[in-house]
Amino acid sequence: MHQLQLFESTKDIYARVFRCLCPRTALPEIVIAFKSYRNANCYIRWKNQRIEVRHADLLMSAPPAVTEAIAFILLARLYRKQVPEEHVAVYRAFMNDGGTRQQVEVLRRERSAKRMAPAQGTHYNLDQLFDEVNHQWFESALPRPAIGWTLSPARRILGHYDPVHHAIVVSRFLDSPEAGRDLVRYVMFHEMLHIKHPIRYEEGRRVIHSKAFRAEERRYPGFEELKEHLRALCNESSLPRRRRRRR
Ligand SMILES: [Zn+2]
């Protein structure tokens, strides 16, 4: 029996589980599709007189016992039957397994592309600014992230470093002559400091701008003036000032 299972297709497994759950019902057509989800989800539904099943493609390499457990869970849900406890346990163990979690994390990174506009803006090129600051300030040691402008001119968050995607995004709001190259360069510097000083956890609290981060930021040439300029630029916008911040 166990050896046979090794040669069963996903569709075969569903058919066998169906007969087990609904022995007196004629086997309907079952259509299986593997989808490139960002997780390990799976779905089932009745459509056009047939059962449609969708599995995340991550599950293609799952052990047959896991596929069988999923078939039991989904078909039982569809037919309002009790799911055998052993299958729930197999499914839970697989989903909570370190290897599965790691695979999901990798997929999430690969498949959730960062939405941003190219680094070459109307007035400033963010790639150039990154290289310049990296050379002058970090001995060109910072690994190059994905870099781009936001799609819309957000004023509340002017720059952002996303460690999951290793991406720096600068608000299109700053791609203007009023902002000036020096100011955009300083915002780039600030976000680059986030690469050098990753978020730390202290007593359960997230420390985004550590003391070391702040100290290094203050050494940037013209730091006070640039911050003042940034504040003035933002004050021209209509949003309440306290809601504006850089992250
Ligand atoms: Zn910040």
Side-chain angles (χ1 to χ4, degrees), residues 64-111:
V66 172
T67 304
E68 183 183 12
I70 293 171
F72 263 106
I73 292 166
L74 291 184
L75 284 169
R77 191 188 297 161
L78 196 64
Y79 285 88
R80 296 195 165 80
K81 307 251 184 194
Q82 189 79 29
V83 186
E85 201 47 53
E86 66 202 88
H87 294 300
V88 176
V90 167
Y91 175 71
R92 287 220 182 104
F94 175 77
M95 293 303 280
N96 289 324
D97 179 74
T100 307
R101 284 165 178 267
Q102 202 182 345
Q103 268 183 294
V104 170
E105 178 62 21
V106 168
L107 279 186
R108 199 170 74 83
R109 279 170 203 244
E110 284 174 354
R111 290 182 176 164

Side-chain angles (χ1 to χ4, degrees), residues 149-150 152-155 158 170-176 178-179 230 233-234 236-237 244:
W149 296 97
T150 57
S152 60
R155 296 172 187 209
L158 299 171
V170 177
S171 173
R172 180 167 294 286
F173 173 63
L174 296 177
D175 188 17
S176 71
E178 293 74 37
L230 206 53
L233 194 70
C234 288
E236 289 161 18
S237 89
R244 267 175 250 117

Side-chain angles (χ1 to χ4, degrees), residues 83-149:
V83 186
E85 201 47 53
E86 66 202 88
H87 294 300
V88 176
V90 167
Y91 175 71
R92 287 220 182 104
F94 175 77
M95 293 303 280
N96 289 324
D97 179 74
T100 307
R101 284 165 178 267
Q102 202 182 345
Q103 268 183 294
V104 170
E105 178 62 21
V106 168
L107 279 186
R108 199 170 74 83
R109 279 170 203 244
E110 284 174 354
R111 290 182 176 164
S112 59
K114 197 79 192 163
R115 283 167 54 80
M116 59 187 179
Q120 175 64 64
T122 309
H123 300 278
Y124 313 112
N125 184 320
L126 296 173
D127 275 332
Q128 257 171 30
L129 290 172
F130 175 88
D131 288 337
E132 222 174 277
V133 176
N134 201 16
H135 177 71
Q136 288 178 9
W137 205 265
F138 301 100
E139 297 173 323
S140 296
L142 288 191
R144 172 181 289 279
I147 302 173
W149 296 97

Side-chain angles (χ1 to χ4, degrees), residues 190-191 194 208-209 213 246-247:
H190 177 100
E191 300 313 328
H194 281 299
I208 298 172
H209 302 107
F213 181 112
R246 275 167 309 124
R247 294 199 358 223

Side-chain angles (χ1 to χ4, degrees), residues 3-247:
Q3 271 189 332
L4 258 178
Q5 279 186 22
L6 289 175
F7 298 97
E8 267 185 321
S9 68
T10 300
K11 195 172 168 174
D12 292 340
I13 292 176
Y14 269 84
R16 178 167 53 78
V17 170
F18 182 91
R19 282 190 212 99
C20 176
L21 283 172
C22 313
R24 281 180 292 276
T25 310
L27 180 69
E29 189 187 348
I30 300 175
V31 183
I32 313 278
F34 286 95
K35 298 283 184 182
S36 50
Y37 297 143
R38 276 186 268 164
N39 48 43
N41 288 1
C42 29
Y43 306 93
I44 196 166
R45 65 174 177 182
W46 257 111
K47 204 184 174 191
N48 305 327
Q49 315 295 318
R50 57 189 205 176
I51 293 175
E52 289 186 356
V53 176
R54 290 178 191 176
H55 279 199
D57 56 4
L58 181 147
L59 296 166
M60 279 175 111
S61 56
V66 172
T67 304
E68 183 183 12
I70 293 171
F72 263 106
I73 292 166
L74 291 184
L75 284 169
R77 191 188 297 161
L78 196 64
Y79 285 88
R80 296 195 165 80
K81 307 251 184 194
Q82 189 79 29
V83 186
E85 201 47 53
E86 66 202 88
H87 294 300
V88 176
V90 167
Y91 175 71
R92 287 220 182 104
F94 175 77
M95 293 303 280
N96 289 324
D97 179 74
T100 307
R101 284 165 178 267
Q102 202 182 345
Q103 268 183 294
V104 170
E105 178 62 21
V106 168
L107 279 186
R108 199 170 74 83
R109 279 170 203 244
E110 284 174 354
R111 290 182 176 164
S112 59
K114 197 79 192 163
R115 283 167 54 80
M116 59 187 179
Q120 175 64 64
T122 309
H123 300 278
Y124 313 112
N125 184 320
L126 296 173
D127 275 332
Q128 257 171 30
L129 290 172
F130 175 88
D131 288 337
E132 222 174 277
V133 176
N134 201 16
H135 177 71
Q136 288 178 9
W137 205 265
F138 301 100
E139 297 173 323
S140 296
L142 288 191
R144 172 181 289 279
I147 302 173
W149 296 97
T150 57
L151 299 180
S152 60
R155 296 172 187 209
R156 196 169 73 84
I157 295 172
L158 299 171
H160 177 61
Y161 170 63
D162 174 354
V164 169
H165 295 95
H166 187 44
I168 287 179
V169 192
V170 177
S171 173
R172 180 167 294 286
F173 173 63
L174 296 177
D175 188 17
S176 71
E178 293 74 37
R181 193 174 189 278
D182 286 350
L183 192 68
V184 182
R185 191 175 181 276
Y186 158 69
V187 171
M188 175 58 74
F189 166 71
H190 177 100
E191 300 313 328
M192 288 167 76
L193 278 180
H194 281 299
I195 301 177
K196 183 174 173 184
H197 302 272
I199 292 176
R200 286 185 296 120
Y201 290 84
E202 280 174 10
E203 292 159 11
R205 271 185 60 246
R206 289 204 315 163
V207 180
I208 298 172
H209 302 107
S210 63
K211 276 187 181 141
F213 181 112
R214 291 295 190 203
E216 189 165 349
E217 186 179 33
R218 274 194 297 275
R219 291 204 300 275
Y220 190 81
F223 169 69
E224 292 298 340
E225 292 79 2
L226 288 162
K227 272 203 113 163
E228 201 45 54
H229 183 184
L230 206 53
R231 254 181 233 123
L233 194 70
C234 288
N235 277 341
E236 289 161 18
S237 89
S238 56
L239 284 169
R241 183 170 156 184
R242 67 189 155 78
R243 297 202 51 195
R244 267 175 250 117
R245 63 202 161 105
R246 275 167 309 124
R247 294 199 358 223

